Amino acid sequence: MEDKQLMKDAKMCTRWALGLTFILIFAFPGTMFLTGYNYTLQFFKGWTYLAFAWLVIAGLYISIRPWVEVYLEKRQ
């Protein structure tokens, strides 16, 4: 992979990571906090399950993706 393509992909991934982090950690809960929404236990449980699911899926993707790429390169 060329350096230009690698830098371009790194910038895109950084923007996505920062954007999703801002939305899911600050914007969405912050808006609810500023409007005076009272978090219920059920909402908190759902939010926690969503966060853990995202964590597990991201971890699996990050762990498995390089193996898939190596497999596909060797196959060619």
Side-chain angles (χ1 to χ4, degrees):
M1 184 179 280
E2 294 184 23
D3 286 341
K4 287 184 180 181
Q5 183 65 36
L6 187 61
M7 294 299 291
K8 184 179 173 185
D9 291 344
K11 284 182 182 178
M12 182 186 69
C13 290
T14 302
R15 288 179 185 154
W16 270 98
L18 291 175
L20 285 174
T21 300
F22 177 76
I23 290 170
L24 294 175
I25 293 178
F26 296 111
F28 179 67
T31 303
M32 295 177 74
F33 177 75
L34 292 176
T35 59
Y37 179 80
N38 288 327
Y39 291 93
T40 62
L41 181 59
Q42 189 167 4
F43 178 83
F44 183 73
K45 282 182 181 178
W47 187 258
T48 304
Y49 289 144
L50 179 67
F52 275 116
W54 184 8
L55 180 70
V56 169
I57 291 169
L60 288 172
Y61 184 79
I62 291 169
S63 301
I64 294 172
R65 179 65 187 221
W67 292 100
V68 171
E69 288 183 5
V70 168
Y71 174 75
L72 292 176
E73 284 181 11
K74 285 186 177 182
R75 194 170 177 194
Q76 290 178 354

